[in-house]
Amino acid sequence: MLRLNRDSLYKLNYLLVGGLLLVSLLIVIYVASPEKMIVGEWKEKGWYFEKPDYRLEEKNFAEVLEENVRIEILDKLEILHVNRWIFREDGTLEVDDHSVANMTWSIKGRGHILEISRDGTPIESFQIQTLSNNEMELHLNLDIQIKGVIKILLKRDDLVQ
């Protein structure tokens, strides 16, 4: 049977704890965070109902929302009337509509909430459902009575065809 004296056990414990701390630090430093992944230029690919109204007789329930329905539902949300979203590293958000200015973005919660602010006042927040290097899926929960949640699909601009 292997016998270790007390000093050897202390050294082994310090070595293990130090190794775990080093591995944890490297993981935190080198794993891609949502703040780093979201930076760049994104283009909207579509607007979909997450939970469509199944009473409709159409076969494809995940149809893209019609433009007039989208404008009617989201009339007061200016940020959502844009086609191109540019997230800068400094936290600013640029859109292709130049009348919408002074906007910032931040990641909240555990990295799953994207908050859009104008002049320091939050104007909208989205749940980030999926985020990869080339695709982002945002869910918008509205307070109005519609059948379902709206899903916005964004793709990196250089990957959009």
Side-chain angles (χ1 to χ4, degrees):
M1 180 172 184
L2 179 65
R3 292 185 183 245
L4 296 173
N5 63 19
R6 186 172 287 187
D7 289 337
S8 297
L9 285 175
Y10 285 143
K11 290 177 185 176
L12 183 61
N13 280 339
Y14 286 131
L15 184 64
L16 287 174
V17 169
L20 286 173
L21 287 174
L22 181 64
V23 168
S24 300
L25 179 66
L26 291 174
I27 288 173
V28 168
I29 290 173
Y30 290 108
V31 170
S33 68
E35 288 89 354
K36 293 177 185 174
M37 292 179 71
I38 200 170
V39 171
E41 193 166 336
W42 298 82
K43 183 174 169 86
E44 290 178 3
K45 286 303 292 177
W47 291 63
Y48 307 92
F49 275 117
E50 181 187 22
K51 299 172 192 166
D53 187 351
Y54 289 101
R55 294 177 296 170
L56 298 175
E57 295 181 8
E58 299 175 16
K59 293 185 179 184
N60 186 2
F61 294 114
E63 289 290 326
V64 177
L65 289 176
E66 296 178 23
E67 188 70 23
N68 59 349
V69 174
R70 174 181 156 194
I71 291 172
E72 181 179 338
I73 291 173
L74 306 169
D75 189 34
K76 296 186 180 169
L77 304 173
E78 298 175 47
I79 178 63
L80 302 175
H81 292 286
V82 300
N83 194 25
R84 188 173 312 277
W85 307 42
I86 304 170
F87 296 92
R88 303 280 181 208
E89 285 186 40
D90 63 357
T92 58
L93 174 64
E94 293 179 22
V95 294
D96 54 2
D97 181 1
H98 297 294
S99 67
V100 182
N102 299 328
M103 290 194 303
T104 58
W105 64 274
S106 59
I107 301 292
K108 302 286 184 181
R110 298 178 311 267
H112 69 290
I113 296 176
L114 171 64
E115 185 176 85
I116 308 294
S117 302
R118 176 183 293 144
D119 298 323
T121 305
I123 57 173
E124 193 57 63
S125 64
F126 303 91
Q127 288 185 12
I128 301 174
Q129 193 65 28
T130 58
L131 178 60
S132 66
N133 288 332
N134 60 354
E135 188 172 283
M136 178 170 33
E137 181 179 317
L138 302 175
H139 286 198
L140 174 64
N141 296 309
L142 298 173
D143 293 336
I144 59 176
Q145 296 296 320
I146 60 171
K147 300 258 189 229
V149 176
I150 294 177
K151 175 173 73 173
I152 304 168
L153 186 62
L154 302 169
K155 289 203 180 252
R156 285 235 185 250
D157 192 42
D158 56 344
L159 300 172
V160 176
Q161 298 183 15

Coordinates of all heavy atoms in Angstrom, one line a residue, residues 15-30:
L15 N -0.9 21.2 -5.9 CA -0.6 21.0 -7.3 C -2.0 20.8 -8.1 O -2.2 21.3 -9.2 CB 0.3 19.8 -7.5 CG 0.7 19.5 -9.0 CD1 1.5 20.7 -9.6 CD2 1.5 18.2 -9.0
L16 N -2.9 20.0 -7.5 CA -4.2 19.7 -8.1 C -5.0 21.0 -8.2 O -5.6 21.3 -9.2 CB -4.9 18.6 -7.4 CG -4.4 17.2 -7.6 CD1 -5.1 16.2 -6.7 CD2 -4.5 16.8 -9.0
V17 N -5.1 21.7 -7.1 CA -5.9 22.9 -7.1 C -5.3 24.0 -8.0 O -6.0 24.6 -8.8 CB -6.0 23.5 -5.6 CG1 -6.6 24.9 -5.6 CG2 -6.8 22.6 -4.8
G18 N -4.0 24.1 -8.1 CA -3.4 25.0 -9.0 C -3.6 24.6 -10.4 O -3.9 25.5 -11.3
G19 N -3.6 23.3 -10.7 CA -3.8 22.9 -12.1 C -5.3 23.1 -12.5 O -5.5 23.6 -13.6
L20 N -6.2 22.9 -11.6 CA -7.6 23.2 -11.9 C -7.9 24.7 -12.1 O -8.6 25.0 -13.0 CB -8.5 22.7 -10.8 CG -8.7 21.2 -10.7 CD1 -9.5 20.8 -9.4 CD2 -9.4 20.6 -11.9
L21 N -7.2 25.5 -11.3 CA -7.4 26.9 -11.5 C -6.8 27.4 -12.9 O -7.4 28.2 -13.6 CB -6.7 27.7 -10.4 CG -7.4 27.7 -9.1 CD1 -6.6 28.4 -8.0 CD2 -8.8 28.4 -9.2
L22 N -5.7 26.8 -13.3 CA -5.1 27.2 -14.5 C -5.9 26.7 -15.7 O -6.1 27.5 -16.7 CB -3.7 26.5 -14.6 CG -2.9 26.8 -15.9 CD1 -2.6 28.3 -16.0 CD2 -1.6 26.0 -15.9
V23 N -6.5 25.5 -15.6 CA -7.3 25.0 -16.7 C -8.6 25.9 -16.8 O -9.1 26.3 -17.9 CB -7.7 23.5 -16.5 CG1 -8.8 23.1 -17.4 CG2 -6.5 22.7 -16.7
S24 N -9.2 26.2 -15.6 CA -10.4 27.1 -15.6 C -10.1 28.5 -16.2 O -10.9 29.0 -17.0 CB -10.9 27.3 -14.2 OG -11.2 26.0 -13.6
L25 N -9.0 29.0 -15.9 CA -8.6 30.3 -16.4 C -8.4 30.3 -18.0 O -8.9 31.1 -18.7 CB -7.3 30.8 -15.8 CG -6.8 32.2 -16.3 CD1 -7.7 33.3 -15.9 CD2 -5.4 32.4 -15.7
L26 N -7.8 29.2 -18.5 CA -7.6 29.1 -19.9 C -8.9 28.9 -20.6 O -9.1 29.5 -21.7 CB -6.7 27.9 -20.2 CG -5.2 28.1 -19.8 CD1 -4.4 26.8 -20.0 CD2 -4.6 29.3 -20.6
I27 N -9.9 28.2 -20.0 CA -11.2 28.0 -20.6 C -11.9 29.3 -20.7 O -12.5 29.7 -21.7 CB -12.0 27.0 -19.8 CG1 -11.4 25.6 -20.1 CG2 -13.5 27.0 -20.2 CD1 -12.1 24.5 -19.2
V28 N -11.9 30.1 -19.6 CA -12.6 31.4 -19.6 C -12.0 32.4 -20.6 O -12.7 33.1 -21.3 CB -12.5 32.0 -18.2 CG1 -13.0 33.5 -18.2 CG2 -13.4 31.2 -17.2
I29 N -10.7 32.3 -20.8 CA -10.0 33.3 -21.7 C -10.2 32.9 -23.2 O -10.5 33.8 -24.0 CB -8.5 33.3 -21.4 CG1 -8.2 34.0 -20.1 CG2 -7.7 34.0 -22.5 CD1 -6.8 34.0 -19.6
Y30 N -10.2 31.6 -23.5 CA -10.2 31.2 -24.9 C -11.5 30.7 -25.5 O -11.6 30.6 -26.7 CB -9.1 30.2 -25.1 CG -7.7 30.7 -25.0 CD1 -6.9 30.5 -23.9 CD2 -7.2 31.6 -26.0 CE1 -5.6 31.0 -23.8 CE2 -6.0 32.2 -25.9 CZ -5.2 31.9 -24.8 OH -3.9 32.4 -24.7

